């Protein structure tokens, strides 16, 4: 344990009580909480749990989202006693409550009465047992879901402890594709395309005699070999999620009081942990029905803790609502056995969330569950319920949030760089990955910016004007409408800097390959063309100014054989056959600059490429700091500039403070411009400018 934490841990029998102001609307101080399941407890200990929460500075709990079978024990028979006792205990203790609608795990009696609720996917009908095994469009499911939501809301709506509601839980369409869903999809296509001629042309369905000549002949998409049709079905499934969450939010909004919020805990694409863009949800569209966006972020710890997943998830969620603050509804305290945190990491992680603009950090969950599927996904407390190192560290966090939290919430960030992502491009590349999935391209470029301490927003095709940004990075925009590419061209022409990666502009929004010279509508802006591509095997790069060698200097997975037009060549392929082709180019276009990366670079090469782009775009960032020293900046609710400094390593390090004179919020010590901030292993410093 870092030595500076020891005196504080030993002195904290009970964390400082939260002020009355902190217990009003969220945002006055950070919400610091846990998911709590009285229904899962093997013994009576509510009073003891509440006392331990208070001692740790916990000021909010989330309840109810996974206990439909406890709330409605049989059809129309309701028992809200667990909610009542928890609500009463929390209110007496001054702990606020978020209640989730309990619809993401269906009760046994509902599956028995209406087995058609169990989702039908291309592999058949789901079995009962797992959560999220239902068809969210099924009429019997929606009728039962609406009934339990309304009954619960009628029962709890006047309780003063409740500050907000979570609709459903990590919602997706669960690959629903049964006959009822196929029928809805046909209606959707008929409305969108109008005629079969238009649909056949948009999807290129003449291929292999897939043409549809009568609406009643429309086949199931389950066996489709047509990427255009399958991608449209994936877009339709994402729309089902958007509509479903809006439907739930509308019901809850009928009951909620003024000042209460509606949220949802979106999750991210998964690669053993939270990793990238979620392929099954259009986050920006789905968030429109919510008052505040929420997210679940899980990540490696111990020697693999980098903060990058926290940063990526936070940047994405903040961007869902146009830069507004968000809630971390789930993150791990201990989680998997190999995620048991080192001393100091839990505290560092909590501040990492706030530094990206979170107003709440909430652990899943309070206690480790003693049976069933998630037995080894540990909560803040271990299975013995006793104080342990994570709990003691949570007490430190709780005390600090209570003491200086007003300076930390409602952080506003003003970033000069954005990454444009696309669910449509992600889906399209699932059909033609050639060894690289979409998130495996996006994340290394995000990580390169993160490691340089460049602040990033996330944009999707629906985002507003791009002109506030100096640089937009566009990874693998494989499928895109003409309008989006023209918007990017206009952005560059008017003075913006665009950095495209390979496989951008290749097909339209229906995943039909453009028949102009590639890269299609961005060819003029990029000043290049190509008509061939290949898979490289140890192909080095030459002609660049980067000091790289070996594997760091090789093209990986994909390479386009680029012929430069007006573009300047920054790197070529060092190869007997491909040496005449460009690999990396930049082109002056109007008042702006367009960089095009025609291959998958190594992480070291990406660091150089994005570094060049950032500097040429004159982006402001902490040039003197590099990972494992990470800095985040913003303006707090008092209008003062706030600067976070993190050391994501097991060695004590120093970070040069280049901002105006300020004060260290955590220690109270003055900080002078030019001073070296001493950061202990897995440490954090927060400076507020005077």
């Amino acid at each position: 344990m870092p030595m500076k934490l020891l005196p504080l841990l030993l002195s904290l029998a009970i964390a400082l009580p939260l002020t009355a102001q902190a217990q009003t609307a969220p945002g006055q101080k950070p919400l610091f909480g846990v998911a709590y399941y009285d229904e899962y407890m093997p013994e009576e200990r509510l009073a003891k749990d509440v006392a331990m929460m208070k001692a740790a500075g916990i000021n909010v709990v989330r309840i109810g989202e996974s206990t439909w079978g406890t709330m409605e024990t049989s059809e129309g028979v309701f028992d809200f006693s667990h909610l009542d006792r928890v609500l009463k205990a929390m209110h007496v203790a001054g702990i606020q409550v978020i209640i989730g609608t309990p619809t993401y795990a269906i009760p046994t009696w509902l599956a028995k009465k209406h087995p058609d609720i169990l989702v039908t996917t291309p592999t058949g009908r789901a079995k009962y047992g797992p959560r999220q095994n239902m068809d969210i469009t099924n009429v019997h499911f929606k009728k039962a879901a609406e009934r339990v939501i309304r009954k619960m809301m009628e029962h709890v709506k006047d309780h003063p402890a409740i500050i907000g509601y979570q609709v459903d839980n990590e919602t997706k369409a669960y690959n629903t594709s049964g006959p009822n869903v196929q029928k809805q999809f046909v209606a959707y296509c008929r409305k969108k395309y109008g005629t079969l001629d238009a649909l056949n042309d948009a999807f290129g369905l003449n291929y292999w005699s897939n043409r549809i000549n009568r609406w009643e002949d429309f086949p199931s998409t389950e066996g489709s070999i047509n990427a255009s049709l399958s991608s449209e079905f994936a877009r339709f499934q994402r729309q089902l999620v958007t509509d479903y969450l809006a439907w739930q939010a509308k019901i809850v909004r009928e009951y909620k009081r003024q000042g209460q919020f509606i949220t949802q805990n979106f999750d991210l694409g998964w690669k053993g942990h939270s990793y990238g863009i979620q392929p099954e949800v259009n986050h920006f569209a789905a968030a429109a029905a919510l008052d505040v966006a929420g997210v679940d972020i899980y990540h490696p710890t111990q020697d693999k803790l980098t903060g990058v997943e926290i940063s990526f998830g936070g940047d994405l969620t903040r961007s869902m609502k146009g830069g507004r603050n968000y809630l971390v509804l789930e993150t791990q305290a201990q989680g998997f056995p190999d995620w048991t945190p080192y001393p100091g990491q839990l505290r560092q992680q909590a501040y990492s969330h706030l530094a990206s603009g979170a107003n709440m950090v909430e652990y899943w969950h309070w206690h480790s569950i003693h049976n069933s599927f998630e037995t080894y996904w540990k909560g803040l407390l271990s299975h013995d319920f006793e104080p342990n190192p994570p709990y003691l560290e949570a007490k430190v966090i709780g005390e600090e949030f209570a003491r200086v939290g007003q300076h930390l919430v409602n952080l506003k960030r003003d970033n000069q760089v954005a990454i444009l992502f696309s669910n449509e491009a992600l889906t399209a590349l699932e059909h033609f990955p050639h060894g690289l999935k979409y998130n495996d391209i996006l994340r290394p470029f995000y990580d390169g910016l993160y490691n340089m301490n460049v602040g990033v927003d996330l944009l999707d095709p629906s985002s507003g004007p791009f002109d506030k940004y100096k640089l937009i990075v566009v990874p693998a925009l494989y499928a895109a409408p003409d309008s989006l590419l023209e918007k990017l061209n206009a952005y560059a022409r008017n003075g913006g800097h665009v950095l495209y990666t390979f496989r951008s502009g290749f097909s339209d929004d229906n995943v039909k390959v453009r028949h102009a010279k590639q890269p299609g509508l961005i060819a003029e802006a990029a000043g290049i063309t190509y008509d061939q591509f290949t898979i490289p095997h140890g192909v080095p790069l030459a002609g660049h100014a980067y000091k790289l060698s070996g594997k760091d200097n090789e093209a990986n997975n994909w390479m386009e054989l680029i012929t430069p037009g007006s573009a300047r060549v920054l790197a070529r392929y060092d190869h007997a056959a491909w040496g005449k082709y460009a690999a990396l180019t930049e082109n002056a276009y109007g008042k702006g600059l367009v960089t095009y990366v025609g291959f998958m670079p190594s992480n070291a090469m990406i660091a150089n490429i994005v570094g060049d782009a950032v500097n040429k775009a004159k982006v402001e960032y902490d040039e003197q700091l590099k990972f494992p020293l990470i800095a985040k900046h913003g303006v707090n609710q008092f209008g003062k500039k706030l600067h976070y400094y993190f050391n994501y390593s097991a060695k004590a390090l120093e970070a040069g403070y280049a901002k105006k004179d300020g004060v260290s919020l955590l220690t109270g010590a003055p900080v002078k411009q030019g001073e070296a901030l001493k950061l202990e292993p897995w440490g954090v410093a927060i400076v507020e400018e005077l």
Side-chain angles (χ1 to χ4, degrees), residues 1 5 8-10 12-13 52 55-56 346 380-381 386-399:
M1 180 171 295
L5 288 179
L8 190 53
L9 285 174
L10 294 172
L12 281 176
M52 290 182 71
L346 201 69
L380 185 61
L381 300 184
E386 295 298 321
N388 59 12
Y391 173 78
L392 293 176
E393 199 163 310
K395 292 178 75 171
V396 175
I397 301 166
E399 185 277 332

Side-chain angles (χ1 to χ4, degrees), residues 20-81:
Q21 186 178 19
Q23 297 180 42
T24 58
Q28 298 302 310
K29 289 186 180 178
L31 291 168
F32 184 47
V34 292
Y36 185 68
Y37 305 107
D38 183 58
E39 301 90 336
Y40 298 172
M41 283 293 179
E43 62 186 49
E44 171 55 51
R45 55 172 290 119
L46 178 58
K48 189 171 183 179
D49 284 332
V50 170
M52 290 182 71
M53 289 179 192
K54 288 288 289 180
I58 298 296
N59 58 20
V60 65
V61 297
R62 185 189 71 171
I63 65 174
E65 85 285 350
S66 61
T67 54
W68 188 347
T70 308
M71 286 188 198
E72 189 176 8
T73 55
S74 60
E75 186 172 11
V77 177
F78 296 93
D79 179 0
F80 297 113
S81 58

Side-chain angles (χ1 to χ4, degrees), residues 358-593:
N359 273 358
M360 179 171 82
V361 177
E362 186 175 66
Y363 300 118
W364 199 89
H365 39 114
W366 170 246
H367 65 94
S368 298
I369 296 172
H370 295 76
N371 63 289
S372 203
F373 191 74
E374 291 170 317
T375 297
Y376 284 95
W377 188 291
K378 293 180 69 179
L380 185 61
L381 300 184
S382 296
H383 292 100
D384 60 4
F385 299 121
E386 295 298 321
N388 59 12
Y391 173 78
L392 293 176
E393 199 163 310
K395 292 178 75 171
V396 175
I397 301 166
E399 185 277 332
E400 291 177 343
F401 279 11
R403 177 162 50 86
V404 301
Q406 287 186 335
H407 298 265
L408 307 180
V409 292
N410 296 330
L411 186 73
K412 298 304 176 190
R413 293 174 55 84
D414 186 19
N415 294 320
Q416 299 175 346
V417 177
I419 291 180
L420 175 69
F421 74 93
S422 166
N423 280 108
E424 283 71 25
L426 186 158
T427 300
L429 280 180
E430 290 288 326
H431 294 282
F432 310 111
H434 296 293
L436 276 176
K437 292 193 174 184
Y438 181 82
N439 282 320
D440 294 326
I441 304 168
L442 183 152
R443 267 295 304 273
F445 279 85
Y446 178 90
D447 293 8
L449 292 164
Y450 172 82
N451 290 337
M452 290 177 60
N453 286 294
V454 175
V456 175
D457 290 341
L458 276 294
L459 304 173
D460 90 337
S462 71
S463 297
F466 293 165
D467 55 8
K468 69 167 285 191
Y469 299 102
K470 293 183 177 180
L471 169 66
I472 297 178
V473 178
V474 185
L477 189 59
Y478 182 78
D482 291 357
S483 58
L484 178 58
L485 300 180
E486 288 164 355
K487 184 177 178 180
L488 286 164
N489 286 343
Y491 164 78
R493 196 163 48 243
N494 293 331
H497 186 159
V498 184
L499 192 163
Y500 290 103
T501 81
F502 57 99
R503 307 194 77 180
S504 290
F506 199 80
S507 73
D508 66 14
D509 49 330
N510 290 317
V511 202
K512 284 185 71 177
V513 174
R514 290 184 165 88
H515 48 79
K517 281 278 188 182
Q518 293 297 351
L521 288 177
I522 64 172
E524 180 184 352
I528 61 168
T529 59
Y530 71 88
D531 57 27
Q532 285 187 293
F533 39 80
T534 188
I535 308 298
H537 300 283
V539 177
L541 285 303
H544 58 75
Y546 312 138
K547 296 178 181 178
L548 298 171
S549 60
K551 294 292 185 183
D552 287 341
N553 191 45
E554 290 182 357
N556 301 295
N557 296 92
W558 186 265
M559 55 186 280
E560 294 162 353
L561 307 181
I562 294 171
T563 299
S566 58
R568 183 165 74 97
V569 177
L570 301 181
R572 292 186 177 275
Y573 301 114
D574 188 6
H575 188 274
W578 314 129
K580 67 178 181 178
Y581 294 109
L584 174 66
T585 63
E586 71 175 21
N587 188 51
Y589 182 66
K591 298 177 183 178
L593 195 67

Side-chain angles (χ1 to χ4, degrees), residues 576-645:
W578 314 129
K580 67 178 181 178
Y581 294 109
L584 174 66
T585 63
E586 71 175 21
N587 188 51
Y589 182 66
K591 298 177 183 178
L593 195 67
V594 177
T595 302
Y596 191 90
V597 186
F599 63 100
M600 184 64 200
S602 67
N603 289 341
M605 178 73 78
I606 288 173
N608 282 276
I609 292 170
V610 298
D612 257 0
V614 163
N615 291 327
K616 287 173 180 174
K618 297 182 179 179
V619 172
E620 299 168 17
Y621 68 104
D622 295 88
E623 296 181 54
Q624 78 282 9
L625 300 179
K626 296 289 186 291
F627 182 85
L629 292 174
I630 293 295
K632 297 272 188 176
H633 311 283
V635 176
N636 67 15
Q637 62 184 352
F638 299 118
K640 293 190 174 184
K641 291 184 178 179
L642 206 63
H643 310 290
Y644 284 85
Y645 297 88

